[in-house]
Amino acid sequence: MRTVFSILTDAVAYGMVLFIISIGLSIMMGLMRVVNLAHGAFAMIGGYLASYALRDLGVHYSVAILLAVVGAILASIPFELLLYRRIYRKADPLMQVLMTIGITFFIIGIVNFIFGPSLKPIPLPATLSGPLDIGFRMLPTHRIFVIACGIVVALALWLLIEKTEFGIKLRASVDHSGMADALGIRTEIIYAATFALAIGLGAFGGVVGAEILPIEPYYALRYMVTFLVVVSVGGAGSILGALSASLLLGLADTTGKYLAPEFGDFFFYLSVILIVFLFPHGLFGKAHT
């Protein structure tokens, strides 16, 4: 039972990290029709900024998270204005893939030039470093923190997209952009705000999940396929789909590495194949006509 509980705790925490980072990519792909393979690169920027703020500036962990999110969004603005804005819901998917892969390599080169090509640890504060006593078992406090962050992000996103005026305008801009423009909705502002939201979520996930997915020079390439797979399995644009896919794949991957570590990522990709075979459009995806 102790092993089962450890597997579940690590699996849910890993799944929540995947969710927090991947949901931004899911929003980009599902709502804005942009295959943004550079999403992990912006998560990496957040991780590098947080590491620098904690180790060199000596700020508190919460301040480092804020700086990382704001810094990643600011760093993304030139890319949004000059490149992404040209391909929202318009460009051929191949062009999107080639452009965003190019952005990925560009960001990797710049970040490694500025911060150095080495692993960037993100020190945890004392409150998150030790175990948490839940009465019948001690659990890693950081894992509980990550799980709580994932739950808050999922609920906040659902409320934002489904229950606010911004969400209504976003859905209108996506489904009927011409009509939205005619009604006075500034679709370019809606797209820019959604892009910033996606980048901010990626950076936030990159920081809080650094203990599970370490920040290193080729982070953006190492996890590019992982984030894309989560979106594909869950269904692009679906919050529930991204959450379900993240937890399922996190459970498969963690269980496999606990019980048969010599198989590496085999169980992760086996789960992907089985889910995609059973649900060709993703768990909660919709077929596009």
Side-chain angles (χ1 to χ4, degrees):
M1 284 302 297
R2 179 171 297 183
T3 301
V4 170
F5 208 80
S6 296
I7 291 174
L8 286 176
T9 303
D10 288 347
V12 174
Y14 176 42
M16 285 302 190
V17 170
L18 291 180
F19 168 72
I20 296 171
I21 299 176
S22 301
I23 188 58
L25 177 59
S26 182
I27 290 171
M28 290 286 290
M29 290 180 61
L31 299 183
M32 301 171 70
R33 308 292 191 264
V34 174
V35 184
N36 183 22
L37 296 187
H39 187 73
F42 292 106
M44 183 179 74
I45 289 176
Y48 270 73
L49 290 174
S51 178
Y52 174 77
L54 284 165
R55 299 171 66 205
D56 297 316
L57 301 182
V59 303
H60 189 267
Y61 185 73
S62 58
V63 177
I65 292 176
L66 180 61
L67 290 175
V69 172
V70 173
I73 292 174
L74 291 176
S76 73
I77 290 176
F79 294 99
E80 198 277 336
L81 291 174
L82 299 175
L83 297 173
Y84 285 95
R85 189 164 291 191
R86 300 172 181 269
I87 64 172
Y88 290 151
R89 298 179 58 81
K90 298 176 182 177
D92 179 77
L94 179 59
M95 181 186 298
Q96 296 178 359
V97 168
L98 294 175
M99 187 192 82
T100 54
I101 286 179
I103 292 173
T104 299
F105 281 104
F106 176 80
I107 291 176
I108 288 173
I110 293 296
V111 168
N112 287 317
F113 176 77
I114 296 173
F115 295 102
S118 60
L119 187 72
K120 298 297 177 184
I122 298 180
L124 295 174
T127 52
L128 296 179
S129 298
L132 177 67
D133 188 358
I134 60 172
F136 63 93
R137 182 165 173 77
M138 305 290 283
L139 294 176
T141 305
H142 177 257
R143 297 291 196 269
I144 303 302
F145 171 70
V146 169
I147 293 170
C149 286
I151 294 172
V152 170
V153 167
L155 290 175
L157 269 180
W158 180 80
L159 289 172
L160 177 67
I161 294 176
E162 300 294 334
K163 301 296 182 180
T164 68
E165 183 180 355
F166 173 80
I168 294 172
K169 290 181 177 179
L170 172 59
R171 295 197 304 275
S173 300
V174 168
D175 296 333
H176 305 285
S177 57
M179 182 63 71
D181 284 329
L183 292 174
I185 297 175
R186 300 287 299 275
T187 54
E188 70 276 8
I189 295 178
I190 297 295
Y191 285 149
T194 306
F195 179 83
L197 173 65
I199 297 301
L201 287 169
F204 177 66
V207 177
V208 300
E211 288 289 305
I212 298 172
L213 303 180
I215 303 297
E216 44 94 5
Y218 293 97
Y219 178 98
L221 293 177
R222 183 181 299 275
Y223 301 114
M224 177 189 290
V225 173
T226 303
F227 302 147
L228 188 62
V229 159
V230 169
V231 176
S232 301
V233 169
S238 170
I239 298 172
L240 181 59
L243 181 59
S244 302
S246 298
L247 293 175
L248 283 173
L249 296 177
L251 179 62
D253 193 39
T254 303
T255 303
K257 288 178 178 176
Y258 259 90
L259 303 180
E262 66 274 13
F263 283 86
D265 293 329
F266 171 79
F267 294 103
F268 179 89
Y269 289 106
L270 177 62
S271 301
V272 171
I273 293 170
L274 291 175
I275 294 173
V276 172
F277 177 76
L278 295 173
F279 304 92
H281 302 294
L283 292 171
F284 293 90
K286 297 178 181 178
H288 295 293
T289 56

